[in-house]
Amino acid sequence: MSTKPPPPASPDAALSRLLQIMARLRDPETGCPWDIEQTFASIAPYTIEEAHEVADAIEREAWGELEGELGDLLLQVVYHAQMGAEAGRFDFTSITQAIADKMVARHPHVFGNESRDKSADQQTADWEALKAAERGPQGTLDGVALGLPALTRAVKLQKRAARVGFDWPDASHVLAKIVEEAHELTEARERFTQDEIAEEFGDLLFVMANLARHLHTDPEAALRAANAKFTRRFATIEAALAAKGKRPEDSDLDEMDALWNAAKEAERQGQ
């Protein structure tokens, strides 16, 4: 008897198997009760979560995890495609054909007769012009997805407005606006309702996103990095306290702040 492993499946065969598995899961008579009950709306949060987990694996350079996370994200596309097919709206074939057609249309310098002798900035400008032509006549800010993370959507809204000239000329003006919004928020704490405080805080976050855009920084990535740094340093505090037989709730702010500064210094020394 041969002990050779079976040959690897072709991409077409592997994808076909996944599509068949999803169809079986959604079969109203023999499928999984949980999967059968799902809708586009109920699955959407999982889709967003899986996309974030892909980004997280890349951020951590966890290449051993990335394959699985990409598979989880692909499953989300297959899930939506199956529900679309059941409703007679679209299916996986129409989805893939549409995105393939879009990529060809948006890369005339690769698939058409346009010259490839362009800067990355010019190619980006051309891409946006093609997208605008596809959307047809509409408002400047129309079409920016509501489901995006708020900071990402803020940057996309600001980029759209900037393309028609509604933008500060440089980051110094944005910094001045941040000072103004921070002052308004400070005042809000004294005399505003909670709803008004939330509004002022939102204004400050919106301007902070604009500063990130002017500094060519992704605010979501920057905040993820800050979250990771905070998590790492707080874990160091907990470890230092544990070495003394203590937990954070047994400590106080002065002690933990000193341990925090020690963790910062240790990180600097390690760089």
Side-chain angles (χ1 to χ4, degrees), residues 10 28 57 62 88 97 125 149 157 166 169 173 183 185 196 199 207 225:
S10 69
Q97 286 178 337
L157 290 170
F166 191 71
H173 293 77
H183 180 69
L185 182 58
E196 290 170 322
E199 180 179 351
V207 182

Side-chain angles (χ1 to χ4, degrees), residues 208-219:
M208 289 297 296
N210 210 342
L211 178 61
R213 182 176 64 85
H214 275 268
L215 297 178
H216 308 291
T217 297
D218 178 353

Side-chain angles (χ1 to χ4, degrees), residues 21-37:
I21 289 170
M22 179 51 65
R24 177 70 183 277
L25 289 172
R26 290 276 299 178
D27 187 287
E29 295 183 0
T30 62
C32 169
W34 186 89
D35 287 288
I36 294 168
E37 290 180 358

